[in-house]
Amino acid sequence: MTEISHVAVLGAGVIGASWTALFLAAGRSVCVHDPDPDVEQKVRSYIETAWPSLETLGLTRRATPDALSFADTSANAVEGADFIQENVPERLPVKHATYRDIEPVLSGNAIVSSSTSGLTLEDLQAGWKDPGRLVLGHPFNPPHLIPLVELTANDKTAADVLDRTEAFYEDIGKVTIRIRKGLPGHVANRLQAAVWREAVFMAMEGVASVEDIDKAMWAGPGLRWAAMGPTMLFHLGAGDGGLQAFCDHFRETFNGWWENLGDPRLDDEVIKQLVAGMNDQAKGRDPRELAKIRDEMLVALQAASRPYRT
């Protein structure tokens, strides 16, 4: 248990509501602010839906599900909070305005962690008088089910803030990585973007249908990537020779593939074809139904793999 016991959540869309469920499951009290007039009903409904999955994953042993409150402003929400998870829209003016509102009323040791997926820490720091307590803590959606949090700090970050942030996230069940050099999209989204770029290219070239390209992922490398990362898997792929032997054997193969990878753009025609392919794959099921299937599979995969992670 870290010293962080009370958390504020700013912005309660899908990401913020998911964070709220996880913080409550981990025994923290939470105060939420979002300008949506229906925010309380939406967040409570989300938590009710998410809770069985959190129980299955064993994340509710310290749960305080009733320790939830709502505030009418960002400044009121952060009052007395040890940790603030900021999830406001991905527009710098909105984020900077939020920081201006909360900075004067933050408690002395409070940490502010932004869930931003596309902005850099340097972009965000421009909205602060003293950015020392701000870090970038980017989750993967939905945060209550996907363990990853990408952490970024820099020379303007106070000395102990990154360590305290990492300790807090790990205490609530997250898996953290530290990004040493900021790039748009961070690490995991750039990996996703690279894979999806080639998937889009192959669909546009008629190599396979959108459905079959997706199937090739979940029935093939996706299964392995759920266990280990690509470099480790290639290390294992060469037996006793390890990664050195793999690279010696496949260097020209991969160099050839890399030179031949596609470079599509999401213009109107490409989007139209992708949407048509997705509609074929969805077979009439709406996103809510498909998301439920996704979440149940994520829970099952993590529950099955947990003994190997520990």
Side-chain angles (χ1 to χ4, degrees):
M1 176 75 75
T2 71
E3 78 279 11
I4 293 169
S5 61
H6 179 55
V7 180
V9 171
L10 305 181
V14 173
I15 299 297
S18 180
W19 271 124
T20 301
L22 181 62
F23 293 145
L24 292 169
R28 272 60 176 195
S29 57
V30 183
C31 186
V32 175
H33 168 69
D34 190 289
D36 184 345
D38 298 322
V39 59
E40 183 167 354
Q41 181 273 324
K42 290 178 179 178
V43 169
R44 291 190 184 279
S45 176
Y46 190 100
I47 293 169
E48 183 179 357
T49 300
W51 207 258
S53 296
L54 290 164
E55 289 178 327
T56 300
L57 291 172
L59 296 174
T60 59
R61 290 185 297 272
R62 296 175 288 171
T64 54
D66 297 326
L68 176 63
S69 60
F70 295 83
D72 57 354
T73 67
S74 294
N76 288 339
V78 305
E79 185 175 352
D82 309 303
F83 192 91
I84 296 91
Q85 190 72 44
E86 176 268 297
N87 319 281
V88 303
E90 289 278 288
R91 298 193 295 275
L92 273 177
V94 177
K95 290 190 181 290
H96 288 174
T98 299
Y99 300 151
R100 286 194 297 272
D101 288 342
I102 67 173
E103 186 172 10
V105 296
L106 291 174
S107 61
N109 290 319
I111 295 170
V112 179
S113 181
S114 177
S115 294
T116 181
S117 60
L119 300 172
T120 66
L121 181 60
E122 290 75 15
D123 291 333
L124 302 179
Q125 286 173 327
W128 290 78
K129 292 180 179 178
D130 177 6
R133 63 181 68 205
L134 176 70
V135 293
L136 192 153
H138 173 240
F140 246 49
N141 189 28
H144 72 283
L145 295 183
I146 304 291
L148 179 67
V149 179
E150 300 175 309
L151 298 176
T152 305
N154 61 20
D155 57 2
K156 294 182 180 178
T157 310
D160 66 337
V161 166
L162 183 59
D163 288 343
R164 290 171 56 216
T165 302
E166 187 168 51
F168 170 64
Y169 281 138
E170 291 179 349
D171 184 69
I172 66 172
K174 307 303 283 183
V175 174
T176 62
I177 68 168
R178 294 191 178 194
I179 297 175
R180 299 174 180 174
K181 179 180 180 180
L183 290 172
H186 317 314
V187 172
N189 272 335
R190 292 179 72 90
L191 293 172
Q192 285 195 131
V195 172
W196 197 44
R197 181 175 70 178
E198 188 60 18
V200 171
F201 172 72
M202 289 190 292
M204 295 306 101
E205 289 292 304
V207 174
S209 67
V210 170
E211 181 175 4
D212 277 353
I213 293 168
D214 274 2
K215 190 184 298 183
M217 176 57 70
W218 65 253
L223 278 175
R224 297 195 304 186
W225 290 345
M228 297 177 180
T231 307
M232 174 61 78
L233 289 166
F234 287 150
H235 173 66
L236 301 179
D240 292 341
L243 187 62
Q244 181 67 57
F246 183 91
C247 290
D248 290 343
H249 185 77
F250 287 107
R251 80 164 72 194
E252 295 308 320
T253 300
F254 273 86
N255 285 337
W257 288 344
W258 286 336
E259 290 173 1
N260 194 41
L261 291 176
D263 189 25
R265 291 295 180 269
L266 288 175
D267 59 30
D268 290 346
E269 183 57 33
V270 168
I271 293 171
K272 180 180 178 180
Q273 291 186 50
L274 290 175
V275 170
M278 179 50 54
N279 289 338
D280 289 342
Q281 182 177 174
K283 295 179 173 62
R285 294 171 294 179
D286 65 31
R288 190 180 298 265
E289 180 182 356
L290 292 168
K292 184 174 184 294
I293 294 170
R294 175 203 65 191
D295 291 354
E296 289 173 351
M297 292 177 70
L298 288 173
V299 171
L301 285 168
Q302 289 189 73
S305 63
R306 176 154 294 171
Y308 303 96
R309 299 297 183 196
T310 56

